[in-house]
Amino acid sequence: MPSAVLLLLAFGLGLVGWLAARGRAWAFRRTAPRGRIDSLPGFHAWYVALWIAVPALLFALAWNTISPALVTHQVLSDPAATILPPTGFERDTMLAEAYAVADGRAYGVFNAEAQALVEPFRAALQKFQSIGLAITVLIAFAGGAFAFLRLRPDFTARTRVERAVMAVLLLASLVAILTTIGIIISLIFETIRFFGMISPTDFLFGTHWSPDPMSTSAPDGSKYGALPLFWGTIYIGAVIAMIVAIPLGLLSAIYLTQYASPRVRQLMKPLLEILAGIPTVVYGYFAALTVAPAVRDAAQAIGIANASTESAIAAGLVMGIMIVPFVSSMADDSIAAVPQAMGDGSLAMGATRAETIRLVLIPAALPGIVAGVMLAISRAIGETMIVVMAAGATANLTLNPFQSMTTVTFQIVAMLTGEGSFDHPATLSAFALGMVLFLVTLALNFIALRVVKRYREAYE
Amino acid sequence: MMPPMDEARTAADSRATEQEHIRALRRARMEAGLARRYAVDRLFRLAGLSAVVFSALVLAFLLVSMTANGVSGFKRSELRMAVPIRGSMQIDAQRLGQPDPAGGLELAGLPHVIDTAANAAFGKGGARLLADDAWREVADMLIADPSLLNNAVLNVSLPASDKLATAQRGDGDPDLRVIATRLEREGKLVRAFDFGFLTRSDATSPQSVGIWGALKGSILTMLVTLVLAFPVGVLAALYLEEYAPRNRWTDLIEISINNLAAVPSIIFGLLGLAVFLGLFPNYRSAPLIGGMTLALMTMPVIVISGRNAIKGVPPSVRDAALAVGASPVQVVFHHVLPLALPGILTGTIIGMARALGETAPLLMIGMRAFVATPPGDLTSPSSVLPVQIFLWSDEIDRGFVERTSAAIVVLLAFLLLMNGLAIYLRNRFEKRW
């Protein structure tokens, strides 16, 4: 409630300042000889409004962050606080309960003793809210007065307002860097904690994966060998899925760019792209419900006895289908980037279309195609829902595609959706796995984007 | 005697024939080769065509099988019966206007009335054929229209129990299957279209689940995502395309945006878990946190498509505006941005459609709880459509299989709507210079 009030207050005062400054600027316009006004009245108005609203909002934000601590501090010095236990969990709960009731977020306390604290909390809250309100208004008025008094006909309001706009633009584009840093930091800290319990060599090169999030014994490095997960990820995402996606995607791209009539192309290209737009959870359901039983039956029909319902091949096949439009559009782009003259020259020499494609276009487009495949692999190994729903949980280090296999993404989900605590190595292992996944996909993307860029430059 | 000239001519003739022969041979070989090369070409073409057709067929199979399953997921097993109303309960119409009218009806004995009516209609044990909360549907009817209390009987269609629904499908308890067949023959047990599926929330029984809770959660989450990702994405795209100086910082921003667009979505879930849930531990599984996480994921998509749209605005527009005295900020906000907006919006909708179908990051931040009421606001616990699909797909009951497909149909319908809107915007407003 108070934060909404502060927000409205800041905007309201800003609006008042906007109108006042606009009026004053119009007055300059009437009195000053024409041509001597530096900026349009609107810029004067925005200048004042920004000076009112921005500092006030910043203060309100800061106040909202620190005032709970101030309130609690005040209550602790109240005589009623003597009933609190000196330290520990119970003390914190009582404080939190009383605070919530005083704040209006809760209707009653579970612990009857906390009731005594509600009134002091209410008083303190009242006091600090009034202080916050007063300071916010004061800051708004100070900012407004400062800005308003600077208004002159020759005041460069536009330059200043535009400088503020540029700052906002720059901040918006820094969000991307902040996100990247946020990802790295959040992964690194937990990964370091994990490697404090389990040695990195055990993790990276061990061949046995069976962490128990519930176990209370000392962390056992031999249970945290992630090699089967890496193998499962590569086998499903980079082998089986690519065996499906590369031929289908490449041939589709060749057909659509080289053979198909414009109408067919116009119809089929968006149709293929629909495949990329279907949510992965739908693919996962399709894999688990339709493909996996079919694959198991087929395997049993050809005499593979131990085929399981949750098989690597079911997940891989469906993932391959999902990736087809990705490979196809990357291949499409890189074939289209090959200069027309090269293909025409080959055709003029008497080569058939197939020969032109095989001997001229594909070799010329190869860097782009390879980069596209790398991006597709990075997408496939980061894919989560299909493997969660169809690939199974057992970590098998095997070549048999009909067996259940697990992947890095599956284990991240499994470790973090359980009941394990955040101090347990099993939970922390999810962050270490995430770190590996992040670094691998980062490397793949980085190299692929570099290759694409250099390749485009080569033909431009 | 042959003149030498003739001899020479013959020799020349034979040489000529020989050469012709060789030529014919060569042509034959070439033609055979040509035929082979064209055959390869046709084969290649056929391979390409079959690749396209195969992908299209898989898509068609996927959509058709989901829809076929989904249609039956919009239905449920219902028992038709007559419930005596007038005189069976001690309650007057006024009580239904007061708080907790359903509780009043329960106290007045509505569940018992319905059980008795079921026993009368379906034979001994008939009450157990109904779903546990079947009386609530009658209660809702009475609350919506209290004048029904004056009816002698009320003909209603009430949900059957899970076991009976399973038996109607031909699975489960053999005794119940006999009962189901008999009731079906008598026209008392039917599979009827279930409008409630679109208005209820998650439940433990497939007969009484609904999609509205998850749908509302998805809508709230998307709202947060849009409010956060759209302004930031557009402003960042404007900065990078229009103002950014070429230096190391700009390169760093570009690299991180391109990489973020390709980072697996589950990594964003880890970020949301570590950062957002670390900051607001009380908002576990709230649309606010989900929306913030998805906004980080969607923002790079908006930036990339936005930059392409901005790049498409011809430089002459900028030059003209600059020439009449507009400042760089005015050029961009008065001219470039409005012209690029359709393209930006198209990209935004496509990014939002991707976010709507995203499951993994939301699993990470705990949006997988059982939530039986639609979320009231941005901070109350909620589910979202894709996660709901994932949760139902884990259920063993056969009824949930159909319900899952029905939920998928709803999700796909929304995606279709969004993509259709994007295509419409592109065709309607996009200019070609």
Side-chain angles (χ1 to χ4, degrees), chain A residues 332-366:
Chain A
D332 196 328
D333 286 352
S334 32
I335 291 175
V338 175
Q340 183 83 26
M342 285 173 74
D344 288 351
S346 162
L347 289 172
M349 296 299 288
T352 62
R353 278 224 170 263
E355 286 159 351
T356 308
I357 292 163
R358 205 159 44 84
L359 301 173
V360 179
L361 294 184
I362 299 234
L366 201 59

mmCIF file of all heavy atoms in Angstrom, chain A residues 332-366:
data_model
loop_
_atom_site.group_PDB
_atom_site.id
_atom_site.type_symbol
_atom_site.label_atom_id
_atom_site.label_comp_id
_atom_site.label_asym_id
_atom_site.label_seq_id
_atom_site.Cartn_x
_atom_site.Cartn_y
_atom_site.Cartn_z
ATOM 1 N N ASP A 332 19.294 -22.960 -45.518
ATOM 2 C CA ASP A 332 18.630 -22.116 -46.500
ATOM 3 C C ASP A 332 19.359 -20.778 -46.634
ATOM 4 O O ASP A 332 19.731 -20.344 -47.733
ATOM 5 C CB ASP A 332 17.187 -21.900 -46.005
ATOM 6 C CG ASP A 332 16.283 -21.384 -47.099
ATOM 7 O OD1 ASP A 332 16.800 -20.664 -47.958
ATOM 8 O OD2 ASP A 332 15.086 -21.688 -47.082
ATOM 9 N N ASP A 333 19.616 -20.139 -45.476
ATOM 10 C CA ASP A 333 20.297 -18.848 -45.479
ATOM 11 C C ASP A 333 21.676 -18.960 -46.113
ATOM 12 O O ASP A 333 22.078 -18.114 -46.907
ATOM 13 C CB ASP A 333 20.460 -18.321 -44.050
ATOM 14 C CG ASP A 333 19.144 -17.817 -43.514
ATOM 15 O OD1 ASP A 333 18.187 -17.744 -44.305
ATOM 16 O OD2 ASP A 333 19.078 -17.509 -42.315
ATOM 17 N N SER A 334 22.428 -19.998 -45.736
ATOM 18 C CA SER A 334 23.801 -20.022 -46.236
ATOM 19 C C SER A 334 23.843 -20.405 -47.716
ATOM 20 O O SER A 334 24.729 -19.944 -48.429
ATOM 21 C CB SER A 334 24.699 -20.924 -45.389
ATOM 22 O OG SER A 334 23.991 -21.977 -44.870
ATOM 23 N N ILE A 335 22.882 -21.229 -48.193
ATOM 24 C CA ILE A 335 22.861 -21.511 -49.631
ATOM 25 C C ILE A 335 22.467 -20.249 -50.401
ATOM 26 O O ILE A 335 23.041 -19.938 -51.447
ATOM 27 C CB ILE A 335 21.896 -22.671 -49.942
ATOM 28 C CG1 ILE A 335 22.465 -23.973 -49.396
ATOM 29 C CG2 ILE A 335 21.696 -22.817 -51.447
ATOM 30 C CD1 ILE A 335 21.548 -25.148 -49.542
ATOM 31 N N ALA A 336 21.510 -19.514 -49.838
ATOM 32 C CA ALA A 336 21.076 -18.295 -50.519
ATOM 33 C C ALA A 336 22.199 -17.260 -50.565
ATOM 34 O O ALA A 336 22.214 -16.393 -51.439
ATOM 35 C CB ALA A 336 19.855 -17.716 -49.820
ATOM 36 N N ALA A 337 23.158 -17.349 -49.605
ATOM 37 C CA ALA A 337 24.228 -16.355 -49.571
ATOM 38 C C ALA A 337 25.324 -16.643 -50.589
ATOM 39 O O ALA A 337 26.171 -15.789 -50.827
ATOM 40 C CB ALA A 337 24.828 -16.291 -48.167
ATOM 41 N N VAL A 338 25.335 -17.857 -51.164
ATOM 42 C CA VAL A 338 26.332 -18.160 -52.199
ATOM 43 C C VAL A 338 25.992 -17.319 -53.429
ATOM 44 O O VAL A 338 24.838 -17.292 -53.850
ATOM 45 C CB VAL A 338 26.292 -19.657 -52.557
ATOM 46 C CG1 VAL A 338 27.242 -19.947 -53.710
ATOM 47 C CG2 VAL A 338 26.650 -20.489 -51.355
ATOM 48 N N PRO A 339 26.982 -16.618 -54.000
ATOM 49 C CA PRO A 339 26.669 -15.736 -55.129
ATOM 50 C C PRO A 339 26.008 -16.499 -56.274
ATOM 51 O O PRO A 339 26.405 -17.615 -56.602
ATOM 52 C CB PRO A 339 28.044 -15.222 -55.557
ATOM 53 C CG PRO A 339 28.902 -15.397 -54.380
ATOM 54 C CD PRO A 339 28.393 -16.552 -53.613
ATOM 55 N N GLN A 340 25.004 -15.870 -56.845
ATOM 56 C CA GLN A 340 24.231 -16.465 -57.931
ATOM 57 C C GLN A 340 25.148 -16.923 -59.072
ATOM 58 O O GLN A 340 24.932 -17.970 -59.674
ATOM 59 C CB GLN A 340 23.244 -15.406 -58.441
ATOM 60 C CG GLN A 340 22.311 -15.852 -59.527
ATOM 61 C CD GLN A 340 21.115 -16.576 -58.956
ATOM 62 O OE1 GLN A 340 20.750 -16.332 -57.820
ATOM 63 N NE2 GLN A 340 20.542 -17.471 -59.727
ATOM 64 N N ALA A 341 26.223 -16.139 -59.329
ATOM 65 C CA ALA A 341 27.087 -16.419 -60.473
ATOM 66 C C ALA A 341 27.727 -17.800 -60.373
ATOM 67 O O ALA A 341 27.945 -18.465 -61.385
ATOM 68 C CB ALA A 341 28.163 -15.344 -60.562
ATOM 69 N N MET A 342 28.021 -18.249 -59.156
ATOM 70 C CA MET A 342 28.687 -19.543 -59.022
ATOM 71 C C MET A 342 27.781 -20.668 -59.483
ATOM 72 O O MET A 342 28.186 -21.547 -60.258
ATOM 73 C CB MET A 342 29.117 -19.755 -57.566
ATOM 74 C CG MET A 342 30.325 -18.926 -57.203
ATOM 75 S SD MET A 342 30.719 -19.007 -55.460
ATOM 76 C CE MET A 342 31.422 -20.628 -55.349
ATOM 77 N N GLY A 343 26.539 -20.645 -59.021
ATOM 78 C CA GLY A 343 25.597 -21.679 -59.439
ATOM 79 C C GLY A 343 25.309 -21.584 -60.926
ATOM 80 O O GLY A 343 25.312 -22.599 -61.644
ATOM 81 N N ASP A 344 25.108 -20.354 -61.421
ATOM 82 C CA ASP A 344 24.799 -20.173 -62.845
ATOM 83 C C ASP A 344 25.947 -20.669 -63.710
ATOM 84 O O ASP A 344 25.735 -21.326 -64.737
ATOM 85 C CB ASP A 344 24.541 -18.692 -63.131
ATOM 86 C CG ASP A 344 23.218 -18.245 -62.551
ATOM 87 O OD1 ASP A 344 22.470 -19.125 -62.092
ATOM 88 O OD2 ASP A 344 22.945 -17.026 -62.545
ATOM 89 N N GLY A 345 27.178 -20.366 -63.309
ATOM 90 C CA GLY A 345 28.338 -20.807 -64.066
ATOM 91 C C GLY A 345 28.384 -22.314 -64.189
ATOM 92 O O GLY A 345 28.603 -22.870 -65.273
ATOM 93 N N SER A 346 28.122 -22.970 -63.081
ATOM 94 C CA SER A 346 28.151 -24.425 -63.094
ATOM 95 C C SER A 346 27.066 -24.980 -64.013
ATOM 96 O O SER A 346 27.316 -25.894 -64.808
ATOM 97 C CB SER A 346 27.969 -24.936 -61.667
ATOM 98 O OG SER A 346 27.593 -26.267 -61.678
ATOM 99 N N LEU A 347 25.874 -24.411 -63.963
ATOM 100 C CA LEU A 347 24.781 -24.878 -64.815
ATOM 101 C C LEU A 347 25.138 -24.627 -66.286
ATOM 102 O O LEU A 347 24.859 -25.459 -67.159
ATOM 103 C CB LEU A 347 23.477 -24.175 -64.460
ATOM 104 C CG LEU A 347 22.863 -24.579 -63.121
ATOM 105 C CD1 LEU A 347 21.680 -23.689 -62.792
ATOM 106 C CD2 LEU A 347 22.429 -26.030 -63.139
ATOM 107 N N ALA A 348 25.780 -23.490 -66.558
ATOM 108 C CA ALA A 348 26.113 -23.142 -67.939
ATOM 109 C C ALA A 348 27.143 -24.093 -68.519
ATOM 110 O O ALA A 348 27.187 -24.322 -69.721
ATOM 111 C CB ALA A 348 26.622 -21.707 -67.993
ATOM 112 N N MET A 349 27.973 -24.663 -67.669
ATOM 113 C CA MET A 349 28.962 -25.622 -68.137
ATOM 114 C C MET A 349 28.342 -26.985 -68.390
ATOM 115 O O MET A 349 29.029 -27.926 -68.776
ATOM 116 C CB MET A 349 30.083 -25.777 -67.102
ATOM 117 C CG MET A 349 30.895 -24.543 -66.864
ATOM 118 S SD MET A 349 31.729 -23.979 -68.317
ATOM 119 C CE MET A 349 32.986 -25.236 -68.467
ATOM 120 N N GLY A 350 27.065 -27.130 -68.154
ATOM 121 C CA GLY A 350 26.402 -28.387 -68.459
ATOM 122 C C GLY A 350 26.167 -29.282 -67.267
ATOM 123 O O GLY A 350 25.700 -30.405 -67.429
ATOM 124 N N ALA A 351 26.498 -28.826 -66.084
ATOM 125 C CA ALA A 351 26.242 -29.654 -64.903
ATOM 126 C C ALA A 351 24.741 -29.691 -64.621
ATOM 127 O O ALA A 351 24.034 -28.720 -64.893
ATOM 128 C CB ALA A 351 26.977 -29.082 -63.700
ATOM 129 N N THR A 352 24.265 -30.816 -64.137
ATOM 130 C CA THR A 352 22.854 -30.879 -63.750
ATOM 131 C C THR A 352 22.676 -30.128 -62.440
ATOM 132 O O THR A 352 23.644 -29.765 -61.770
ATOM 133 C CB THR A 352 22.395 -32.326 -63.548
ATOM 134 O OG1 THR A 352 23.158 -32.886 -62.499
ATOM 135 C CG2 THR A 352 22.571 -33.136 -64.812
ATOM 136 N N ARG A 353 21.402 -29.963 -62.055
ATOM 137 C CA ARG A 353 21.132 -29.267 -60.789
ATOM 138 C C ARG A 353 21.764 -30.002 -59.622
ATOM 139 O O ARG A 353 22.384 -29.387 -58.752
ATOM 140 C CB ARG A 353 19.616 -29.186 -60.564
ATOM 141 C CG ARG A 353 18.973 -28.061 -61.310
ATOM 142 C CD ARG A 353 17.982 -27.340 -60.401
ATOM 143 N NE ARG A 353 17.546 -26.118 -61.056
ATOM 144 C CZ ARG A 353 18.080 -24.940 -60.811
ATOM 145 N NH1 ARG A 353 19.021 -24.806 -59.916
ATOM 146 N NH2 ARG A 353 17.648 -23.881 -61.453
ATOM 147 N N ALA A 354 21.597 -31.319 -59.631
ATOM 148 C CA ALA A 354 22.128 -32.107 -58.519
ATOM 149 C C ALA A 354 23.630 -31.931 -58.420
ATOM 150 O O ALA A 354 24.175 -31.760 -57.322
ATOM 151 C CB ALA A 354 21.773 -33.576 -58.699
ATOM 152 N N GLU A 355 24.316 -31.948 -59.588
ATOM 153 C CA GLU A 355 25.777 -31.797 -59.560
ATOM 154 C C GLU A 355 26.160 -30.411 -59.086
ATOM 155 O O GLU A 355 27.120 -30.246 -58.322
ATOM 156 C CB GLU A 355 26.343 -32.068 -60.957
ATOM 157 C CG GLU A 355 26.318 -33.541 -61.301
ATOM 158 C CD GLU A 355 26.374 -33.789 -62.803
ATOM 159 O OE1 GLU A 355 26.270 -32.819 -63.573
ATOM 160 O OE2 GLU A 355 26.507 -34.944 -63.187
ATOM 161 N N THR A 356 25.401 -29.404 -59.554
ATOM 162 C CA THR A 356 25.692 -28.046 -59.101
ATOM 163 C C THR A 356 25.568 -27.941 -57.593
ATOM 164 O O THR A 356 26.424 -27.375 -56.913
ATOM 165 C CB THR A 356 24.716 -27.060 -59.763
ATOM 166 O OG1 THR A 356 24.738 -27.282 -61.163
ATOM 167 C CG2 THR A 356 25.094 -25.638 -59.457
ATOM 168 N N ILE A 357 24.491 -28.529 -57.080
ATOM 169 C CA ILE A 357 24.271 -28.442 -55.640
ATOM 170 C C ILE A 357 25.384 -29.167 -54.899
ATOM 171 O O ILE A 357 25.983 -28.637 -53.958
ATOM 172 C CB ILE A 357 22.907 -29.058 -55.278
ATOM 173 C CG1 ILE A 357 21.783 -28.196 -55.843
ATOM 174 C CG2 ILE A 357 22.762 -29.215 -53.784
ATOM 175 C CD1 ILE A 357 20.453 -28.905 -55.895
ATOM 176 N N ARG A 358 25.691 -30.396 -55.369
ATOM 177 C CA ARG A 358 26.623 -31.241 -54.636
ATOM 178 C C ARG A 358 28.054 -30.719 -54.737
ATOM 179 O O ARG A 358 28.801 -30.734 -53.768
ATOM 180 C CB ARG A 358 26.545 -32.657 -55.206
ATOM 181 C CG ARG A 358 26.968 -33.748 -54.250
ATOM 182 C CD ARG A 358 26.384 -35.083 -54.685
ATOM 183 N NE ARG A 358 26.522 -35.290 -56.123
ATOM 184 C CZ ARG A 358 27.626 -35.774 -56.706
ATOM 185 N NH1 ARG A 358 28.669 -36.077 -55.975
ATOM 186 N NH2 ARG A 358 27.665 -35.946 -58.007
ATOM 187 N N LEU A 359 28.422 -30.240 -55.942
ATOM 188 C CA LEU A 359 29.826 -29.915 -56.157
ATOM 189 C C LEU A 359 30.127 -28.424 -56.015
ATOM 190 O O LEU A 359 31.282 -28.053 -55.837
ATOM 191 C CB LEU A 359 30.257 -30.391 -57.547
ATOM 192 C CG LEU A 359 30.086 -31.899 -57.746
ATOM 193 C CD1 LEU A 359 30.364 -32.296 -59.183
ATOM 194 C CD2 LEU A 359 31.009 -32.660 -56.808
ATOM 195 N N VAL A 360 29.106 -27.579 -56.146
ATOM 196 C CA VAL A 360 29.381 -26.139 -56.074
ATOM 197 C C VAL A 360 28.722 -25.482 -54.863
ATOM 198 O O VAL A 360 29.389 -24.897 -54.017
ATOM 199 C CB VAL A 360 28.919 -25.431 -57.377
ATOM 200 C CG1 VAL A 360 29.185 -23.951 -57.282
ATOM 201 C CG2 VAL A 360 29.615 -26.044 -58.573
ATOM 202 N N LEU A 361 27.406 -25.618 -54.795
ATOM 203 C CA LEU A 361 26.694 -24.840 -53.763
ATOM 204 C C LEU A 361 27.026 -25.319 -52.352
ATOM 205 O O LEU A 361 27.341 -24.522 -51.479
ATOM 206 C CB LEU A 361 25.188 -24.913 -54.003
ATOM 207 C CG LEU A 361 24.698 -24.248 -55.285
ATOM 208 C CD1 LEU A 361 23.188 -24.296 -55.369
ATOM 209 C CD2 LEU A 361 25.173 -22.812 -55.335
ATOM 210 N N ILE A 362 26.953 -26.641 -52.142
ATOM 211 C CA ILE A 362 27.168 -27.135 -50.775
ATOM 212 C C ILE A 362 28.592 -26.864 -50.310
ATOM 213 O O ILE A 362 28.781 -26.353 -49.208
ATOM 214 C CB ILE A 362 26.815 -28.634 -50.677
ATOM 215 C CG1 ILE A 362 25.352 -28.785 -51.043
ATOM 216 C CG2 ILE A 362 27.167 -29.191 -49.307
ATOM 217 C CD1 ILE A 362 24.501 -29.482 -50.095
ATOM 218 N N PRO A 363 29.622 -27.155 -51.135
ATOM 219 C CA PRO A 363 30.966 -26.810 -50.658
ATOM 220 C C PRO A 363 31.095 -25.323 -50.352
ATOM 221 O O PRO A 363 31.717 -24.950 -49.362
ATOM 222 C CB PRO A 363 31.864 -27.208 -51.835
ATOM 223 C CG PRO A 363 31.106 -28.245 -52.554
ATOM 224 C CD PRO A 363 29.657 -27.881 -52.406
ATOM 225 N N ALA A 364 30.475 -24.483 -51.189
ATOM 226 C CA ALA A 364 30.591 -23.044 -50.948
ATOM 227 C C ALA A 364 29.845 -22.637 -49.687
ATOM 228 O O ALA A 364 30.262 -21.736 -48.973
ATOM 229 C CB ALA A 364 30.055 -22.270 -52.135
ATOM 230 N N ALA A 365 28.723 -23.324 -49.408
ATOM 231 C CA ALA A 365 27.913 -22.946 -48.255
ATOM 232 C C ALA A 365 28.311 -23.704 -47.001
ATOM 233 O O ALA A 365 27.716 -23.498 -45.944
ATOM 234 C CB ALA A 365 26.436 -23.184 -48.562
ATOM 235 N N LEU A 366 29.319 -24.573 -47.111
ATOM 236 C CA LEU A 366 29.612 -25.483 -46.003
ATOM 237 C C LEU A 366 29.866 -24.804 -44.662
ATOM 238 O O LEU A 366 29.298 -25.229 -43.653
ATOM 239 C CB LEU A 366 30.785 -26.397 -46.378
ATOM 240 C CG LEU A 366 30.840 -27.672 -45.555
ATOM 241 C CD1 LEU A 366 29.557 -28.460 -45.747
ATOM 242 C CD2 LEU A 366 32.038 -28.518 -45.933
#
